[in-house]
Amino acid sequence: QYGFNLNEQIDTWPTLTSNHVDEVKSLAELLWRWLPVNQELCKKFYGVDGAMLIHGSDFDGYEVPGWYCANLWAGCGPWACWTLWQIYLYTMDEEFLRLRAYPLMREHMRQYFGILEKWDDGKYHIPRNPSPEWLNNDAAAWGRDDAGNHGIIRGMAKAVIEAEKILGIENGDSARWREILENIAPYRHRKQATQMKTTPNAH
């Protein structure tokens, strides 16, 4: 079993900083092999195009039943793809960016198009998602605008925009991501973040 709410991601960081970048490219090949499965999961779960990586994944990319708050956290895939973007930044390997990093980044970020909602305040919100490693498997871990997803959206959306600029992609997702970044809800302060049972309509 692989664990992608944090575990597999942090395993990649030392390989980058110690200049063993080629060794972590296996992550890109794993995510590439799983992409059809992750696209299927995204379509079934969110009803949109994109890719959804499950925290507890078996060797074929399907869910290993267990800690559902971690398994269903939307940030698993995009955060794994952050490593692919870092590989490009370390190597400036445009072929790797074109053939592996960007296609995976784009697909895993597209799931947010089915998650984000624009509310009456004119801001994009995440109506309901957990944060990983928080409150174990308690239903109270599910709430709106979790900081984990918001941080990933802010970082990875900029990476997708930059990748499309580098690759000369004119009809990608950049315009949509720019509009989201300009209008995404702010991070919630501590008092708000403890009120995890707030419903999307309570704004």
Side-chain angles (χ1 to χ4, degrees):
Q1 173 182 334
Y2 296 87
F4 275 100
N5 72 330
L6 171 65
N7 310 68
E8 302 300 336
Q9 286 89 335
I10 64 175
D11 287 343
T12 66
W13 300 340
T15 64
L16 296 171
T17 55
S18 62
N19 200 29
H20 290 81
V21 179
D22 286 340
E23 295 181 18
V24 79
K25 286 185 177 180
S26 60
L27 174 63
E29 296 309 311
L30 180 70
L31 294 176
W32 188 255
R33 179 166 64 86
W34 286 358
L35 185 57
V37 173
N38 294 157
Q39 289 171 324
E40 174 190 350
L41 291 170
C42 186
K43 197 72 172 179
K44 287 181 176 179
F45 194 76
Y46 291 117
V48 296
D49 293 331
M52 178 185 182
L53 178 64
I54 300 294
H55 156 61
S57 293
D58 67 14
F59 292 106
D60 295 314
Y62 288 101
E63 179 182 7
V64 176
W67 192 13
Y68 75 92
C69 284
N71 275 5
L72 300 179
W73 181 52
C76 293
W79 198 7
C81 289
W82 178 253
T83 295
L84 309 188
W85 176 239
Q86 296 303 304
I87 291 173
Y88 167 73
L89 294 179
Y90 271 82
T91 64
M92 306 303 287
D93 184 345
E94 194 168 308
E95 182 178 12
F96 173 77
L97 180 65
R98 178 181 294 104
L99 298 181
R100 287 293 184 267
Y102 168 72
L104 287 164
M105 290 161 54
R106 179 197 63 207
E107 286 299 295
H108 281 278
M109 283 298 287
R110 278 182 171 175
Q111 67 174 320
Y112 285 119
F113 294 156
I115 296 171
L116 290 164
E117 295 180 356
K118 201 168 191 179
W119 291 357
D120 293 341
D121 60 0
K123 300 295 184 181
Y124 284 98
H125 293 267
I126 297 170
R128 196 161 186 81
N129 217 248
S131 267
E133 308 288 341
W134 195 72
L135 287 182
N136 296 320
N137 210 28
D138 195 309
W142 288 74
R144 67 177 178 89
D145 292 328
D146 67 287
N149 278 312
H150 271 263
I152 287 169
I153 289 170
R154 285 169 166 82
M156 281 299 295
K158 292 176 183 177
V160 171
I161 292 169
E162 183 63 19
E164 291 186 350
K165 179 179 178 181
I166 293 166
L167 297 173
I169 295 172
E170 297 181 358
N171 297 313
D173 295 334
S174 291
R176 193 166 183 182
W177 280 122
R178 287 192 183 94
E179 199 269 331
I180 288 172
L181 288 173
E182 289 173 1
N183 296 285
I184 195 166
Y187 287 106
R188 301 173 69 193
H189 56 70
R190 185 174 180 181
K191 182 178 179 181
Q192 290 176 317
T194 59
Q195 299 169 348
M196 295 303 291
K197 293 185 179 180
T198 302
T199 62
N201 294 325
H203 62 281

